[in-house]
Amino acid sequence: MERRIRKNVPLHDPVIPAQRVICNRWHVSQAIMRALAIIAITFFLCIDAKVAFAQGSVEWLTLRVALYPAVPQRRALFTQLEQQFERMYPGVNIELVETYEDGGQTKSLADNYYSGGLAKVKADVYEIDTILLTDLADSGKIQPIELPFNDFATTAVDAVRRNGKVYAVPHWMCGNFLFYDNSDASVVAVVEKATNWSALVSGLKALDKKLLVDLYGRSTLGEWYLTAYSDIVGLSQAQIDIKATSQPDPRVVNALSELISVCANGFCRSDDLHSRTGYYARAFVRKEAHVYVGYSETISYGLQDAIENCLGHCLTKDTIGIRRLPAFFEPRKGNGVGWVDGLGIDTTVHGLKKALAEEFVRFIVSDVGYRLALEPEGDSDAPRYLLPARDKLNIAKAPLYPAFLAAHQGRETGIQSGINEALRLMAPNLNLALPTNP
C-alpha cells in the first residue's frame, strides 16, 4: 500500500489537553483539573522514572498504540501525533503497533484488521472500527472509558456505547459518498435529482457517462450488502437477518448488479484495482469517469495526484461535487449506513499508565490533535479529509468538509455482536452472485 511521508512541522501555540487524568471528580473546575493533570504526570515522569530506571524497567513510560491502518499517509500521521505528544510530555515514548504474533507467525495488522487481527494484536490503546467494538468489549479486551468532551456527534456516541457504558472515544466517522464532476452540467442534473440508484444509473447511461466504485473484497462487499439491505428492512433487522443466513437477498443482488452495469469496463470488480490504495479516486480526478463512490478520505489521494501530476486537466476541490448515496430501495428505511472509529484502552492498563493512555486519547481528539492530523501543511499537500467525530470543528484549507458532514448526518452504524464475521461470510456468496464487470 503506497504512502507518501510528510515532513513534520512544529505546531503553533500547542495546547496541552487536560481535564481528567488522575481524578474522576468532574465537579472540580476544568482549569484546576488541567493543572492537576500536568503537575501529576510531570511529577511522576520526574520521580517515578528514577525509580523505574533503578529497577531496570521504564515500561509504563511507553504507550503502544494500534491505530486504524487504512488512512492516508498513516505513518506520517502517527509521527506528527507522536512527536507533538512527546514534546508535551518529555520522557514518554509512543510506539506504533503494526504487527502481531499468531501461531508463531508475525502478521500485519493492516492486512488482517477485520479478520481477527485487531482482536489478537497487543497494545495499550487501540483504534477500533465500531463494527468490532461489541465483540472486543464482550471478550474483555477493552475497558470502559469516559468521554473527554461533550461535543461528539450523536451518531458517534451511539456507536461507542454498549449497555450504558462507553468503550471507546469517537475519533473518525466514516462512510461512502457520491462524488461527481460538477463542471459538467448534464452530470450535475442527473446526480442531484436522483433519489435512488435506478434513476442515477438510467440517467448516466442516457448520457453515456461512467461510474467508478470498488465492489470487491470481503469487507467491501459485506459493507455494500449491509448498506443496500438496510434500505429494505432497517439497520437493526438487517443485522439480525445477515447473522441468520449467509445467502444474499436477490433484491440486493439485483440492485448491486444494476449499479455495476454503469461502471467503466474492468474497473469495479477487479481484485488488482481493489488492492491499489486510492486508485479509484485518482482515476476519477483524472476524469476517467464522471461519478465516483468512496470514503471521504479517499478523495485525498485524487487531490494529491492532481497537485503532483496533473497539468490543468484534472478535477479540483472546486469542480468536485459531493452528496450522500441515493437509496437502493424506496421508501428507504433509515438514513443510510456509516461507521465510526473509536479509541479504546486495553483492560490490562491500570494506574499511571492508564492515566497516560487517557491523556493520549484526549490529545488525539482535542482541537489540537485533529488540526495537526487534518490541516494541510502547505499548498503541496491535500487535506486528508478524514471526518472528525466532534461537531463544529473548523479545519482550515479543507473546503470540502461542510459538504461531507452534511451528507453524513443521521447515518446509523452496525453494532450487533458478530456482525463483522457474518458480513465476511456473506461476501463470497455475494461475490459469486454479482456480474464480473469484464
Side-chain angles (χ1 to χ4, degrees):
M1 300 177 73
E2 57 191 23
R3 294 285 187 263
R4 192 180 68 84
I5 303 300
R6 297 150 57 106
K7 62 184 181 297
N8 187 64
V9 176
L11 186 69
H12 295 292
D13 299 326
V15 178
I16 297 178
Q19 184 175 342
R20 184 203 76 263
V21 174
I22 308 300
C23 177
N24 287 323
R25 299 172 183 172
W26 288 92
H27 63 278
V28 180
S29 72
Q30 290 191 11
I32 294 175
M33 293 309 299
R34 290 174 68 90
L36 289 176
I38 297 167
I39 292 170
I41 289 184
T42 303
F43 175 81
F44 282 117
L45 286 175
C46 294
I47 304 301
D48 276 17
K50 296 179 181 178
V51 176
F53 277 117
Q55 295 175 345
S57 171
V58 290
E59 196 276 335
W60 73 266
L61 288 168
T62 297
L63 280 181
R64 304 181 74 243
V65 180
L67 292 180
Y68 186 73
V71 299
Q73 302 110 23
R74 167 171 50 97
R75 293 189 181 94
L77 170 58
F78 173 79
T79 298
Q80 290 174 294
L81 297 170
E82 170 196 28
Q83 291 181 352
Q84 177 61 23
F85 191 76
E86 289 177 355
R87 281 196 294 266
M88 290 159 52
Y89 296 114
V92 170
N93 178 38
I94 308 296
E95 291 184 357
L96 178 64
V97 178
E98 298 186 282
T99 61
Y100 63 97
E101 298 300 316
D102 184 24
Q105 294 183 322
T106 299
K107 294 186 177 181
S108 163
L109 178 61
D111 293 341
N112 301 284
Y113 185 91
Y114 289 101
S115 57
L118 186 61
K120 294 174 182 176
V121 71
K122 301 296 183 184
D124 303 310
V125 177
Y126 305 97
E127 189 160 25
I128 306 162
D129 185 327
T130 52
I131 198 174
L132 302 169
L133 189 67
T134 302
D135 298 324
L136 296 183
D138 288 348
S139 70
K141 186 177 181 68
I142 55 175
Q143 57 183 291
I145 191 171
E146 295 183 30
L147 296 177
F149 301 103
N150 61 8
D151 63 343
F152 289 103
T154 301
T155 297
V157 175
D158 291 343
V160 297
R161 183 179 285 126
R162 303 290 186 274
N163 300 319
K165 296 180 180 180
V166 172
Y167 281 92
V169 173
H171 191 199
W172 307 120
M173 298 187 294
C174 314
N176 279 305
F177 296 86
L178 195 151
F179 301 89
Y180 56 98
D181 179 357
N182 69 14
S183 66
D184 187 321
S186 63
V187 171
V188 172
V190 168
V191 170
E192 294 186 350
K193 291 180 181 178
T195 61
N196 58 63
W197 277 107
S198 291
L200 178 63
V201 168
S202 61
L204 291 177
K205 284 183 175 179
L207 297 172
D208 195 27
K209 305 292 186 180
K210 296 299 183 181
L211 173 145
L212 294 176
V213 59
D214 182 10
L215 282 166
Y216 202 89
R218 284 186 178 233
S219 293
T220 302
L221 284 177
E223 177 183 343
W224 275 106
Y225 186 84
L226 181 63
T227 300
Y229 190 59
S230 295
D231 277 0
I232 304 175
V233 301
L235 182 57
S236 295
Q237 187 62 47
Q239 294 174 84
I240 295 171
D241 293 350
I242 290 167
K243 290 193 291 183
T245 177
S246 61
Q247 295 303 313
D249 188 295
R251 293 170 293 181
V252 174
V253 173
N254 290 337
L256 293 178
S257 297
E258 184 179 38
L259 190 158
I260 291 168
S261 71
V262 76
C263 282
N265 286 342
F267 277 82
C268 299
R269 298 273 291 140
S270 168
D271 184 16
D272 176 48
L273 300 184
H274 170 76
S275 301
R276 300 188 195 181
T277 302
Y279 179 87
Y280 292 93
R282 288 193 293 270
F284 165 67
V285 168
R286 291 172 183 164
K287 299 186 179 182
E288 293 179 31
H290 288 78
V291 178
Y292 159 63
V293 180
Y295 275 33
S296 63
E297 61 266 29
T298 62
I299 204 66
S300 174
Y301 295 106
L303 292 174
Q304 190 63 46
D305 192 37
I307 291 171
E308 295 179 347
N309 301 311
C310 287
L311 297 175
H313 62 278
C314 286
L315 294 176
T316 69
K317 59 181 175 58
D318 299 316
T319 53
I320 293 175
I322 300 165
R323 59 158 288 179
R324 71 167 54 224
L325 299 187
F328 279 99
F329 302 93
E330 292 184 305
R332 178 186 236 162
K333 295 287 184 70
N335 293 309
V337 174
W339 312 96
V340 174
D341 298 329
L343 297 157
I345 297 177
D346 194 273
T347 52
T348 63
V349 177
H350 300 290
L352 181 60
K353 189 159 190 174
K354 180 180 177 181
L356 199 59
E358 290 174 339
E359 191 68 0
F360 179 73
V361 169
R362 181 184 179 85
F363 163 67
I364 292 292
V365 299
S366 69
D367 290 13
V368 171
Y370 273 129
R371 288 182 180 131
L372 187 64
L374 298 177
E375 288 186 351
E377 294 176 9
D379 294 338
S380 62
D381 293 291
R384 286 190 176 94
Y385 279 120
L386 294 154
L387 299 185
R390 288 179 57 203
D391 290 327
K392 301 177 182 177
L393 197 66
N394 182 29
I395 305 299
K397 299 182 181 179
L400 298 181
Y401 269 117
F404 279 128
L405 294 172
H408 188 84
Q409 189 173 13
R411 296 194 194 195
E412 300 174 280
T413 299
I415 63 173
Q416 293 186 19
S417 64
I419 185 61
N420 172 66
E421 182 61 24
L423 289 172
R424 291 178 63 81
L425 290 173
M426 167 73 69
N429 294 326
L430 179 60
N431 186 55
L432 291 173
L434 293 175
T436 57
N437 182 224

